[in-house]
Amino acid sequence: MAKYQLITTTPEETMALGVRLAAFLSAGDIVCLFGDLGSGKTTLIKGLAQGLGVNPDEVNSPTYVLMQMYEGARLPLFHFDLYRLEEAHHIHGIGYEEFFYGQGISVVEWAERLGDLMPEGYLSIELRHQDHQRALTLKAVGDRYERVVKSLKLS
Ligand code: ADP
Ligand code: MG
């Protein structure tokens, strides 16, 4: 499984990756984000939102809801933040399957909390603090996402 790594030095650069990525995603696609608080997950999603024609200022980490939906010009964006998810099965309560395999793009912060409910295929993006920089590692899980990553022409 190929891995692609890049370093961003500003939030704008992280957003720009999200903007580019949005162009290669289609309905039913899932992006799983891994990384500590402040690593840039929400910033990347702001870029995804912008790429889909949503005002990035609308995107924040939802405090009390597990999923926030934004109506993009081309596709809706389903933004999951599982920071407060105590047990993976609680996600059934919001009917996540309808979103995951539905008519929009799903992006999941704290995706490791999905546990057994982790989808079979997804684009994995791991973000790590490195001083003032962020190291991002992209990995395709499943053929469909291999194509998405290649389209980004990162290496
Ligand atoms: P998370 O959702 O992972 O908790 P956020 O995106 O909410 O992280 O916050 C990242 C913070 O780090 C923001 O305040 C952002 O301005 C800052 N930051 C600094 N450099 C970067 C970078 N290269 N990429 C993303 N965010 C950065
Ligand atoms: Mg966040």
Side-chain angles (χ1 to χ4, degrees):
M1 199 186 332
K3 277 188 183 180
Y4 301 81
Q5 289 184 299
L6 73 153
I7 304 271
T8 64
T9 54
T10 62
E12 289 74 21
E13 270 182 58
T14 299
M15 261 184 86
L17 176 72
V19 172
R20 281 176 60 207
L21 177 59
F24 302 114
L25 295 175
S26 38
D29 280 347
I30 304 171
V31 180
C32 288
L33 303 183
F34 306 90
D36 291 341
L37 271 178
S39 60
K41 301 180 295 299
T42 303
T43 303
L44 183 66
I45 297 170
K46 283 175 186 279
L48 269 178
Q50 187 176 323
L52 294 171
V54 178
N55 178 355
D57 294 340
E58 280 183 40
V59 178
N60 288 299
S61 284
T63 315
Y64 295 110
V65 290
L66 292 175
M67 199 278 296
Q68 192 95 43
M69 180 173 109
Y70 314 101
E71 203 55 64
R74 185 165 59 89
L75 291 164
L77 179 65
F78 306 126
H79 173 192
F80 292 81
D81 189 330
L82 305 185
Y83 186 61
R84 287 177 183 76
L85 188 71
E86 279 159 26
E87 291 179 55
H89 70 91
H90 288 172
I91 199 177
H92 285 299
I94 59 168
Y96 83 104
E97 305 95 327
E98 274 177 56
F99 300 115
F100 267 27
Y101 308 105
Q103 297 306 304
I105 294 167
S106 295
V107 59
V108 188
E109 297 193 45
W110 300 98
E112 61 269 41
R113 310 230 164 147
L114 285 170
D116 292 345
L117 300 176
M118 200 72 156
E120 237 171 72
Y122 57 91
L123 174 63
S124 160
I125 307 182
E126 194 188 311
L127 302 93
R128 264 175 302 123
H129 276 83
Q130 279 186 348
D131 304 324
H132 58 285
Q133 303 180 324
R134 301 294 185 275
L136 280 67
T137 305
L138 282 78
K139 212 168 50 183
V141 180
D143 292 348
R144 151 93 194 115
Y145 297 94
E146 204 75 60
R147 287 193 292 276
V148 172
V149 176
K150 285 204 177 106
S151 305
L152 283 169
K153 297 193 168 66
L154 293 172
S155 46

